[in-house]
Amino acid sequence: MSAAAIPSCQIIEAHAPTLISNILTLAWRELRDALRARSFLLYSLAFLALGLGVSYVSAAGTGSLGLSGFGRTTAGLINIVLLVVPLMALTTGASAIASDRERGMLLFLLAQPVSRLEVVLGKFLGLSGALIACITLGLGACSLVLAWQGGATEPRTMLWLAGLSVLLALSMLSVGMLISALARKASVAVGTGVFLWLALVFVTDLGLMAGTLALRLPVKTLFLLTLSNPLQAFKMWALHSIDASIDVLGPAGLYAMDTYHDALPWMFGASMAAWIVLPLVAAALIFRTRSPV
Amino acid sequence: MIRIDHLTMKFGKFTAAADISLSLARGESLALWGSNGAGKTTIIRCVLGLLSFQGTIRVGGRDVARDGKRARSLIGYVPQELAFYDDLRVWEAITLFARLKNVARVDLDATLDHVGIPDQGGKRIRELSGGMKQRLALAIALLGDPPLLVLDEVTASLDVCGRAELVALLGRLSGQGRSLLFASHRADEVTSLAQRVLMLEKGKVTAEVPVSQFVARLGAGSVLHLHMPAPSRPVAIQLLRDHGFAPTLNGVGILVPVPATQKAVPLRLLAEARLSVDDFELLSPRDANLSQENHA
Amino acid sequence: MNANRSNLAPRVAILAVSCLVGLCPTTASAQDSMQAPNEKSAGVHDSAGVEINAGTIGRLIKAAKPGDIVHVPAGVYREHIRIDKPLSLIAEGRVVIDGMSSGDIVEIAAPNVTLRGFVVRDTGIDLDKENAAIRVLADHTVIENNTLEDILFGIDLKQAPDAVVRGNFIGGKDLDIARRGDGLRLWRSDRVLIENNTIHDGRDAILWYSQNVTVRNNTSRRCRYGFHLMYSDDVVMENNELTHNSVGIYLMYSKVVTIRGNRLLANRGPSGYGIGLKEADQFSISDNLIAGNRAGIYLDGSPFTKLKPGDISRNTIACNDVGLTFLPSVKGNVIAANNFVDNIEQVCVSGRGELTGNDFAADERGNFWTDYAGYDANADGIGDFAHESVTLFENLLDREPKLRILLFSPAQQAIEFVGRAIPAIRPEPKFFDPSPLTRPVPVATNAGAAPSRLSLAICGLGLASIASLVYVSSRAFAHTTRRKGVVA
C-alpha cells in the first residue's frame, strides 16, 4: 500500500467493541504484520521448497506404475509438516506477546479499551490465519506439482494433510503463546520455542526409542506416550485418515487398532485439541496477571 | 472523573506508590508533579488498569481493576513516547484504534489536522518525527472524544520547539470540558496546563496545591537574581507569573524563586520572549532575603 | 446346453414339480418328464421363490439312474442332499438349497458327479463337524457356477482327485475369524483344477497333501489365507487376485510351486504377507504385483533344499510396509529383475542377520530400487554403483518392531543421519545388489488406474485459494470499514 492508496474517503466506520469485534480487529493487525514479516516469508518459502521437492522427487517413482495408496510422497509430506510447521508455529507464538512487551507496544495496546483476553485471542486468531495461509499455500502447491507429475496421491489425502497440519500448527501456536506469556524477553521466548521444538521433534522420540529398547516398554505405554506428543498424534491421525488404519506402525499401531477401534480418531483429536486449548487457556490466565511492561 | 482511594503499589520490596488518594472532577486538570521515580507513571498505569494494585481506582464510576475495559473507554492515553507497530501506516493505526474504541465515524483529515499533522495519513509510523508521533498518539487518544485525557510525560522526549507546540496544543484541548491527568516534572508545563498539582516524592504525596501556590511551594530551591534593563522588567515579571513563578522586583533586577530542577527555565522563557538578560546569579533563599532587605 | 432348452426346461420342471407336490404322491411319472428335457409342455407361470417341500431333490436323485442329467427347477429347497451315483445335477433358474443352519448341505459320495448352477446356503456352524456347503468324497467331480452363501465350509474335497472347481462364488458366514470355516479345502486331492472362483469372508482356501493342482483366475478377499498350501507339490498358481486377506498366498512345506502373474494387494493381517513361504522348495515367484501388504514376501527357511535356487523375479513389490522379509537363516534365493517401489522398508532381516546367502542379481542384472541413490553414466540401464541398504533406523526396527510407531518422524531421519555420519555405529549393509536397474522392469500385471490428476489439481488450487483468501482478507479488512464521505 503506497501513500497514494490512501483513500480520498476519509470516513472510517467501526463496529461496537464487543469481544468478537475487538478480537477480529486485533487479529487483523496481527495477521497483517505476520504476513509481512520476513521470518514468516522465510518459513513459507522453506515449507514450499521442501514440500515441492518431496512431491517432485517421489512422484517420479510411483507415477509410472499407477500405484496409489500410502507411498513415499505422503510419508515425505508428513515429514516436512512435522519438521517445519511446529517450528514455524512455536517461534511465531513465542514472539507474539513477548516482543510486544519488550518494545512497549503492549502497554499502549492495553491502555485502550480492550481486555487482555481479547488481546490473547486476537493474536491467536490472527497468527492462526497466517499459519493457515502458509500451510494451504505450501500443500496446495505440492498438490499441483503432484498433479502435473501424474503422481499417485489422492486429493482426499492432501485435504486431510492440510486440515491436520492446521490443527498441528494451532497446537504449537498455542504452546508458543504460553511461552510468550511467561517470558520476559522476546529472545528468551523464541529460544525456548526452538528448544521445545527440538524436544518435541527429536528428543522425546529418541527418548521413547531408548526407553523402548532399554526398558522394554509395553505397547500400551508406548502408544499412550506417543499419543501424548501432538506431533505424533498428528502423524497417527494422518495415517489413520489416509489408510483407515495405523497398523503400518507395527505392533503398537496394531494394539491401538485392536483396543480402541473406532475411538482412535477421537483419541487423536482429543490429544490435539488438548494441546490447542490447554496452553492457550494457561497463556490467557498468566497474561491476565502479568505486567505489560 | 477519577477517584483514587488508598492506592498502594509495590514492585517486590520497592514501593512505587504509597497510600495515594485523589480525585479529579469533570473538566478539571490535575498534574502529577515529581522527579523521576516519584511514582507519577505508576499512578497513571494503575489508572489505566495496567498494573495490579491495592486500594480502589474508579474512572467515571467504573472500577478499574474489575471493569478495566469500560473504564478505559473513557480515557484517551498518550504515553511518553509512542511505541507502536511502526510498520503500520498512520491511517491504518487510526482505523485500528477507532475500531477498538467503538468510534463509528472518523474524519481522517480532520483528525490529523486537529493535532497539526495534516497530510501524514499515508506515512508509516516509523517515518514520523518524534513530535509527529506524539501528535499521532494524541490524535489516537482523542478518538471518540473521551472525557478524560491521561498524559504521561508527553513532552519528555521532544526538543524545546516541539515541546512548546505540544503544550500549546494540549492547552487548547484542555479548555474544552475535558478532564486532564498528566505527569510532568517540568514546572512550565504544570503551570500552563494544571489547575491543581499533586506533588509526589518517592511514591508519597507531599502536597496537593492549587497551581497558584505551586511555584511558591517549590521555593525550597533557590532564588534566581536576574539583572535586566528596567523597561523590560514589568513585562518579564508578567511573563514569569504567567508561567507559575513568583517574581519580585528589587533595585537592580528581579528575584525569582526557582525549584532545584528548574533554575534555567526563567532564562529560557525570557530568551524566547526576546527579553534580554544582562546577568544573573543564583542565591540561597537566605541571601535573597538579605538582598531584599538591603534594598528596602 | 443350448439356449432353447434352458428356456424351456424350467417350465417343464415346474409342471413336474407341481404334479409332485400337489397331485401325485408318487414320483415316477414326474421323473420321466424331468429326464426328458426336450419334451414340450404347456407354459407355466414363472415361479421363482416357490418353496418346495423337503426331500424333493433327494427324491429326484433317488429316482435318477447313474449317468443321468437331472434338472432341478427353480425354487427354494430346504433339504440336505447326498449324491451317491454318477449324475449331473443342473439347476434350472435360481435353485436354492437351504441347509437351515444345520449340518452339511450337499454331499457327493460317487465319482463323476457334476453340480452346476445352484445356490447353496446356510450350513450349520459346527467347526468340529466341519459343516460344509458341498463335501466331495469321490473323484472326477465338476463343481461349477454355484453360489455358496452363508456357509461355514464352502467346498470340501476329501480324497477327491481330478476334480474341477470352477466359477463358484463362495461367501462365508459373518463370524469372528476364529469361528469361520474354510471357503475351499482340498485334502489329498490331486490333479484338481481350481479356476475363476471368488471366495470372500472365509477362513482359508487350503490345499492339504494335494499334488499337481492348478489354481488360476480366482479372487479371494477378506479371508485369513487367500490360498494356503500344506505339503502340496507341483502346484501352479496363476493370475489370481488376492486382496485384503491376512495373507495372500502361504506356502508351507510344499515344493515345485509356481506363483505367477497374481495380484496380491493389501493383505495386512497382524503378521500379514502378500506371499509367505515356510520351508517351501523349488519355487518360482514371478510377474506378480505385490502391493500394500504388511510384508510383500516373507521367507522362512525357503528354499528348504539346495536342489534349485528360490526364484523371485519380475515382480513389482510396491508400497508394502516391508518389501521382502527374511528370517535370518534364509539363503539360496535369487532375487532379480524385480521392482522394489516405495516400500516403507524395502528389505528386512527379521531379528538380525545378513542376507549374504542370497543373490540380488542374475546375469549381472539386479533389481529396480526406488531408493537407489546412484546414477547410470553410460545409460546401459544399470546403475554404476552397487545398491546396498545401510540404515540404522531399519536396523533398530528389525531388532524391535514396536519402534515402528515412530516411523515417518523426523527422529527417524535424525537416526539415519547419525548412522551415516558416524561410521562407528553404522550398521553392516543388510544386502547388496551389485547391478541395480535404473529403470523399472515392465511387469505385465496391471496396476490399476492412478487417481485423477484433474481432481488433485483442483484440490491444489482449492488449498492455494484458501491462502490467497487469508491474504486478501488481511488487506481488505481495513478498507471495508471506509466509505466515501466527508472530505476535510
Side-chain angles (χ1 to χ4, degrees):
Chain A
M1 255 161 275
S2 67
I6 298 209
S8 59
C9 43
Q10 315 301 8
I11 300 296
I12 295 166
E13 295 238 332
H15 308 284
T18 57
L19 182 83
I20 301 295
S21 105
N22 270 0
I23 289 174
L24 285 177
T25 306
L26 293 167
W28 158 69
R29 199 215 57 77
E30 206 62 51
L31 176 63
R32 176 196 173 283
D33 255 29
L35 289 180
R36 290 168 196 205
R38 206 164 293 149
S39 61
F40 214 81
L41 189 70
L42 280 177
Y43 281 135
S44 304
L45 287 179
F47 186 47
L48 197 63
L50 288 168
L52 290 182
V54 165
S55 311
Y56 190 86
V57 168
S58 56
T62 48
S64 59
L65 290 158
L67 296 165
S68 76
F70 189 81
R72 203 157 49 147
T73 314
T74 326
L77 288 176
I78 287 181
N79 236 304
I80 298 299
V81 169
L82 281 177
L83 213 55
V84 179
V85 168
L87 182 64
M88 191 161 68
L90 272 172
T91 51
T92 304
S95 66
I97 299 172
S99 77
D100 278 12
R101 192 198 325 254
E102 199 173 274
R103 289 184 286 172
M105 296 169 179
L106 203 51
L107 185 80
F108 189 62
L109 189 59
L110 291 175
Q112 311 302 325
V114 297
S115 72
R116 297 193 180 193
L117 182 66
E118 287 165 1
V119 172
V120 169
L121 292 182
K123 279 183 178 293
F124 184 76
L125 188 65
L127 295 174
S128 307
L131 290 168
I132 287 170
C134 177
I135 288 167
T136 49
L137 182 68
L139 291 179
C142 291
S143 306
L144 288 177
V145 166
L146 287 169
W148 169 57
Q149 285 274 78
T153 305
E154 295 191 37
R156 204 175 59 90
T157 303
M158 297 305 289
L159 294 178
W160 267 106
L161 214 51
L164 295 177
S165 301
V166 168
L167 288 187
L168 180 65
L170 295 188
S171 68
M172 291 296 99
L173 178 63
S174 178
V175 173
M177 287 188 65
L178 175 57
I179 295 172
S180 204
L182 284 165
R184 289 194 171 274
K185 297 181 76 178
S187 54
V188 174
V190 173
T192 312
V194 171
F195 179 79
L196 201 68
W197 172 76
L198 274 174
L200 285 171
V201 170
F202 296 110
V203 180
T204 53
D205 288 2
L206 294 177
L208 265 185
M209 251 179 235
T212 310
L213 288 172
L215 305 174
R216 310 243 129 235
L217 286 179
V219 280
K220 179 175 187 179
T221 317
L222 181 61
F223 173 71
L224 292 179
L225 283 176
T226 312
L227 181 68
S228 65
N229 181 340
L231 276 67
Q232 295 288 351
F234 157 81
K235 183 195 79 183
M236 292 193 282
W237 200 356
L239 294 177
H240 194 273
S241 64
I242 293 162
D243 246 9
S245 165
I246 53 166
D247 58 3
V248 69
L249 296 177
L254 278 171
Y255 163 81
M257 291 294 296
D258 286 349
T259 313
Y260 305 112
H261 309 284
D262 299 340
L264 266 182
W266 295 100
M267 293 171 73
F268 302 138
S271 172
M272 297 195 74
W275 277 95
I276 294 171
V277 174
L278 297 182
L280 190 62
V281 168
L285 290 176
I286 288 165
F287 185 57
R288 219 170 57 164
T289 58
R290 286 283 164 119
S291 155
V293 275
Chain B
M1 199 66 241
I2 302 182
R3 180 167 185 86
I4 301 181
D5 290 310
H6 308 296
L7 166 67
T8 298
M9 163 74 213
K10 291 178 182 175
F11 294 104
K13 283 184 181 169
F14 173 69
T15 304
D19 195 27
I20 287 167
S21 297
L22 66 85
S23 67
L24 176 66
R26 182 171 288 268
E28 202 189 359
S29 157
L30 175 69
L32 302 173
W33 161 269
S35 55
N36 286 332
K40 307 183 297 282
T41 298
T42 300
I43 294 174
I44 282 181
R45 287 181 179 169
C46 288
V47 167
L48 290 166
L50 297 174
L51 303 174
S52 43
F53 52 83
Q54 294 163 312
T56 54
I57 302 179
R58 291 180 176 277
V59 174
R62 295 159 187 175
D63 188 321
V64 165
R66 262 183 265 144
D67 198 5
K69 184 176 165 186
R70 292 215 310 156
R72 283 192 292 276
S73 68
L74 302 173
I75 303 175
Y77 166 67
V78 183
Q80 182 173 337
E81 196 172 354
L82 177 65
F84 204 67
Y85 306 100
D86 36 354
D87 190 45
L88 283 180
R89 292 181 190 279
V90 169
W91 73 262
E92 288 176 312
I94 301 261
T95 308
L96 176 70
F97 288 102
R99 279 167 164 270
L100 293 179
K101 293 179 159 210
N102 189 26
V103 178
R105 316 193 78 187
V106 175
D107 185 329
L108 184 66
D109 283 356
T111 303
L112 296 179
D113 264 352
H114 193 47
V115 295
I117 45 168
D119 308 323
Q120 305 294 323
K123 280 200 179 156
R124 292 184 193 280
I125 294 181
R126 75 167 108 81
E127 295 164 351
L128 300 179
S129 70
M132 284 179 172
K133 272 192 199 172
Q134 288 305 82
R135 282 153 189 271
L136 173 60
L138 187 58
I140 290 169
L142 290 170
L143 287 170
D145 199 13
L148 171 62
L149 280 181
V150 172
L151 317 174
D152 187 5
E153 304 266 16
V154 286
T155 60
S157 51
L158 300 184
D159 58 18
V160 175
C161 215
R163 190 182 303 154
E165 286 175 18
L166 191 60
V167 169
L169 177 59
L170 289 169
R172 287 198 298 278
L173 291 170
S174 66
Q176 299 166 2
R178 272 188 200 91
S179 303
L180 191 63
L181 175 69
F182 70 101
S184 176
H185 62 273
R186 311 197 71 90
D188 54 337
E189 278 172 35
V190 173
T191 51
S192 55
L193 293 175
Q195 291 161 351
R196 275 192 300 139
V197 184
L198 198 67
M199 300 174 81
L200 296 161
E201 205 172 301
K202 292 181 179 168
K204 295 190 181 106
V205 178
T206 53
E208 185 180 346
V209 293
V211 74
S212 54
Q213 294 173 24
F214 167 61
V215 178
R217 293 290 300 214
L218 293 178
S222 38
V223 177
L224 190 63
H225 190 192
L226 301 167
H227 299 262
M228 53 196 304
S232 53
R233 285 177 200 166
V235 189
I237 286 181
Q238 191 55 46
L239 177 76
L240 291 170
R241 280 195 180 134
D242 288 348
H243 283 88
F245 293 97
T248 49
L249 267 176
N250 76 353
V252 287
I254 302 172
L255 287 169
V256 192
V258 284
T261 56
Q262 309 258 323
K263 292 190 279 286
V265 172
L267 293 173
R268 176 173 59 78
L269 290 170
L270 295 171
E272 279 168 15
R274 299 186 181 280
L275 294 168
S276 63
V277 177
D278 300 330
D279 192 9
F280 71 91
E281 53 203 312
L282 208 52
L283 308 171
S284 71
R286 198 171 55 86
D287 294 343
N289 284 341
L290 282 177
S291 106
Q292 197 106 12
E293 280 162 18
N294 290 346
H295 285 281
Chain C
M1 304 294 146
N2 60 58
N4 181 34
R5 203 190 80 183
S6 62
N7 282 339
L8 195 59
R11 300 178 190 171
V12 175
I14 294 308
L15 182 64
V17 170
S18 317
C19 293
L20 269 173
V21 172
L23 305 172
C24 352
T26 62
T27 57
S29 62
Q31 291 284 318
D32 292 340
S33 75
M34 288 298 295
Q35 287 164 30
N38 291 324
E39 184 181 319
K40 301 236 172 18
S41 160
V44 175
H45 293 297
D46 186 293
S47 61
V50 168
E51 301 213 357
I52 288 118
N53 283 349
T56 309
I57 300 176
R59 283 193 288 274
L60 288 176
I61 292 167
K62 199 172 178 187
K65 294 190 289 288
D68 276 356
I69 299 171
V70 178
H71 295 269
V72 180
V76 177
Y77 299 82
R78 299 185 186 283
E79 62 180 297
H80 301 84
I81 298 164
R82 180 176 155 88
I83 303 173
D84 51 6
K85 59 187 88 162
L87 282 180
S88 292
L89 212 57
I90 315 293
E92 299 294 347
R94 181 174 162 83
V95 180
V96 178
I97 308 175
D98 188 327
M100 297 166 289
S101 306
S102 77
D104 305 334
I105 301 177
V106 178
E107 185 177 279
I108 298 173
N112 296 306
V113 169
T114 297
L115 186 72
R116 181 182 299 131
F118 289 87
V119 175
V120 183
R121 72 176 184 208
D122 202 7
T123 64
I125 54 165
D126 190 335
L127 260 184
D128 293 337
K129 293 185 175 156
E130 300 180 343
N131 294 157
I134 300 171
R135 171 154 296 126
V136 184
L137 304 169
D139 54 276
H140 290 93
T141 316
V142 176
I143 298 175
E144 203 168 40
N145 299 344
N146 300 289
T147 299
L148 279 51
E149 297 170 345
D150 198 15
I151 45 94
L152 190 68
F153 282 66
I155 299 172
D156 186 16
L157 276 63
K158 282 200 159 151
Q159 297 178 14
D162 301 297
V164 174
V165 178
R166 180 187 292 134
N168 300 290
F169 194 89
I170 303 171
K173 282 185 183 282
D174 185 17
L175 289 174
D176 194 63
I177 190 78
R179 298 170 57 210
R180 289 186 193 170
D182 298 331
L184 173 64
R185 181 167 65 174
L186 275 65
W187 176 270
R188 296 194 186 282
S189 303
D190 298 343
R191 297 174 303 281
V192 174
L193 172 63
I194 300 166
E195 65 179 0
N196 298 335
N197 300 288
T198 297
I199 307 174
H200 67 88
D201 298 296
R203 189 170 65 186
D204 306 338
I206 184 164
L207 280 59
W208 286 94
Y209 307 105
S210 301
Q211 325 301 326
N212 284 303
V213 175
T214 299
V215 179
R216 64 187 180 213
N217 298 333
N218 299 287
T219 300
S220 165
R221 54 179 183 265
R222 296 192 303 274
C223 298
R224 188 173 67 180
Y225 293 164
F227 278 94
H228 189 185
L229 274 59
M230 292 291 282
Y231 307 98
S232 295
D233 305 334
D234 299 294
V235 174
V236 176
M237 308 197 63
E238 272 183 332
N239 302 335
N240 301 289
E241 177 164 312
L242 312 172
T243 61
H244 297 98
N245 304 291
S246 267
V247 173
I249 298 173
Y250 212 151
L251 306 188
M252 282 185 171
Y253 320 111
S254 302
K255 59 180 189 282
V256 198
V257 177
T258 301
I259 298 177
R260 185 194 306 135
N262 301 286
R263 291 159 56 78
L264 299 132
L265 310 174
N267 298 293
R268 306 192 54 87
S271 48
Y273 321 118
I275 301 173
L277 297 98
K278 183 172 173 58
E279 297 183 18
D281 203 30
Q282 302 166 59
F283 54 85
S284 160
I285 300 173
S286 63
D287 299 287
N288 300 289
L289 172 66
I290 304 171
N293 306 288
R294 182 171 303 288
I297 300 178
Y298 168 85
L299 292 152
D300 171 9
S302 305
F304 191 56
T305 68
K306 289 180 180 172
L307 289 173
K308 175 179 173 283
D311 167 31
I312 299 176
S313 58
R314 291 190 310 283
N315 300 288
T316 292
I317 301 172
C319 304
N320 303 288
D321 293 8
V322 182
L324 283 184
T325 299
F326 291 83
L327 288 192
S329 59
V330 170
K331 54 178 181 279
N333 291 288
V334 177
I335 298 141
N338 300 288
N339 301 314
F340 286 88
V341 179
D342 286 359
N343 299 291
I344 293 167
E345 188 177 352
Q346 300 269 43
V347 175
C348 158
V349 186
S350 193
R352 290 175 92 179
E354 51 184 33
L355 295 171
T356 45
N358 301 281
D359 287 327
F360 278 84
D363 303 327
E364 294 181 7
R365 288 181 69 76
N367 301 277
F368 173 73
W369 306 90
T370 44
D371 55 340
Y372 177 56
Y375 53 83
D376 178 17
N378 59 358
D380 61 354
I382 291 174
D384 296 355
F385 298 94
H387 177 65
E388 52 179 37
S389 171
V390 188
T391 74
L392 187 56
F393 188 71
E394 286 185 4
N395 204 271
L396 288 176
L397 285 189
D398 296 350
R399 245 201 301 175
E400 176 50 272
K402 271 189 275 190
L403 288 180
R404 295 187 78 84
I405 197 167
L406 298 174
L407 270 175
F408 317 120
S409 316
Q412 176 185 353
Q413 263 74 18
I415 294 264
E416 298 294 15
F417 177 78
V418 169
R420 274 194 292 275
I422 305 173
I425 59 169
R426 189 183 298 166
E428 287 297 301
K430 244 188 296 195
F431 66 92
F432 183 79
D433 182 342
S435 38
L437 306 179
T438 52
R439 285 185 292 271
V441 179
V443 172
T445 320
N446 180 17
S452 147
R453 298 166 65 158
L454 181 65
S455 57
L456 189 58
I458 291 170
C459 154
L461 288 173
L463 284 174
S465 69
I466 293 177
S468 44
L469 203 70
V470 171
Y471 187 67
V472 167
S473 73
S474 88
R475 307 195 61 159
F477 190 80
H479 284 287
T480 55
T481 61
R482 280 164 184 290
R483 234 186 35 178
K484 295 238 170 195
V486 182
V487 177

